[in-house]
Amino acid sequence: NAGVTQTPKFQVLKTGQSMTLQCAQDMNHEYMSWYRQDPGMGLRLIHYSVGAGITDQGEVPNGYNVSRSTTEDFPLRLLSAAPSQTSVYFCASSYSGGASHNSPLHFGNGTRLTVT
Amino acid sequence: RKEVEQDPGPFNVPEGATVAFNCTYSNSASQSFFWYRQDCRKEPKLLMSVYSSGNEDGRFTAQLNRASQYISLLIRDSKLSDSATYLCVVNMGLDTGRRALTFGSGTRLQVQP
C-alpha cells in the first residue's frame, strides 16, 4: 500500500528554471492538496483539488500551477523558479479535505527544493 | 496575530515526565481540531483529533476550550520516542478546501534520557 508518493525527494534549480513536482495516491481520495513548509511559518496551502478536473487556490498560490486530470495524480508546476520558492513541499490527500475526524490528511514524504 | 499560534519550544523534559502544550486559535467559528506529529525531516501524521468533551489515547490527552479558544495536548510518562514537533491544526470552517485546515508552526518536544 503506497499511500501518497511524491517525487523527487530533493531538487536544486536555478532561478528561472521550471519543473514539476509529482504526486500520486492510490487510496481513491477525492481531495488532494499541496503545502509548503518554511521555518517558523507552519504548513501553508498552495493549491488544492476536490476531484478530477477541479482545482482551486489556497493561501499562497502565486508562482505555482496545478492540474487534476485523474483522481490519482496532482502535479505541482513551478513555471519560473525563484529563490523565495526554496522550501519543503508536501502533497496530501484525504476523503474529505482532512476536516473530518474520520478522514485525516495523508502526507507524502516531501520534496526539498532549493532555488539558487 | 497568527490564526493558529503555538509556543515553538523546544520543551526539554526527562523521560517519564508529564508535559503539556497549548495552542490558541483566532476564529471562534472553527469547527474541528487536530494534533499532528512531525518527526525531524519527515511528513506530518495525525496524532489525534480533539473532541469537544476532551479525549484520551493512551498516554495522550487532548482538550478543547472553546470559550478561551485554545486546545491542549498532555503527554504523560514521556518516552524518548515522543521527541518530535507537534502541530496544532484547526479547521476554520470556511469551506471544504480553501484554507479549511490551518496549521500552527509547531511545538518541538525533546525527551531526554
Side-chain angles (χ1 to χ4, degrees):
Chain A
N1 188 357
V4 179
T5 303
Q6 275 184 248
T7 56
K9 288 191 176 181
F10 301 96
Q11 183 71 51
V12 178
L13 291 177
K14 294 186 190 300
T15 297
Q17 286 185 316
S18 63
M19 78 158 296
T20 299
L21 279 62
Q22 301 291 344
C23 177
Q25 53 90 11
D26 61 359
M27 296 173 282
N28 203 30
H29 286 164
E30 293 283 343
Y31 180 90
M32 296 186 74
S33 56
W34 278 100
Y35 287 87
R36 60 177 289 172
Q37 186 174 33
D38 303 292
M41 300 289 290
L43 279 88
R44 293 181 291 168
L45 184 64
I46 303 171
H47 285 285
Y48 69 97
S49 168
V50 298
I54 305 168
T55 64
D56 207 343
Q57 297 180 346
E59 183 182 356
V60 287
N62 292 339
Y64 308 94
N65 281 347
V66 292
S67 59
R68 186 90 181 273
S69 56
T70 66
T71 299
E72 295 78 20
D73 300 297
F74 191 45
L76 178 73
R77 278 183 289 278
L78 284 71
L79 296 178
S80 180
S84 61
Q85 294 177 305
T86 294
S87 187
V88 180
Y89 292 84
F90 287 102
C91 178
S93 72
S94 76
Y95 284 113
S96 63
S100 162
H101 290 295
N102 297 320
S103 177
L105 285 178
H106 295 262
F107 285 86
N109 292 337
T111 297
R112 283 163 177 77
L113 175 67
T114 302
V115 182
T116 61
Chain B
R1 181 186 173 187
K2 288 184 182 178
E3 291 177 313
V4 178
E5 287 205 70
Q6 296 183 251
D7 181 342
F11 284 61
N12 295 304
V13 302
E15 270 186 293
T18 295
V19 61
F21 313 132
N22 282 344
C23 163
T24 59
Y25 59 95
S26 62
N27 188 342
S28 60
S30 298
Q31 295 178 345
S32 49
F33 309 87
F34 309 89
W35 285 102
Y36 277 68
R37 170 193 168 129
Q38 186 173 24
D39 294 306
C40 187
R41 300 181 72 79
K42 298 285 190 181
E43 73 275 20
K45 292 183 180 178
L46 179 68
L47 176 67
M48 61 194 301
S49 301
V50 185
Y51 297 104
S52 297
S53 54
N55 47 297
E56 271 190 26
D57 183 1
R59 297 181 293 108
F60 298 84
T61 300
Q63 301 243 324
L64 167 63
N65 185 319
R66 284 193 183 272
S68 300
Q69 294 181 207
Y70 74 85
I71 66 172
S72 63
L73 178 67
L74 180 80
I75 305 175
R76 291 182 297 278
D77 189 22
S78 299
K79 312 290 185 191
L80 293 176
S81 58
D82 294 333
S83 298
T85 296
Y86 291 84
L87 306 174
C88 172
V89 185
V90 177
N91 172 19
M92 296 292 178
L94 296 175
D95 58 42
T96 59
R98 182 169 186 159
R99 301 191 67 195
L101 285 185
T102 302
F103 283 76
S105 53
T107 297
R108 192 156 67 91
L109 171 65
Q110 185 66 47
V111 181
Q112 295 164 337

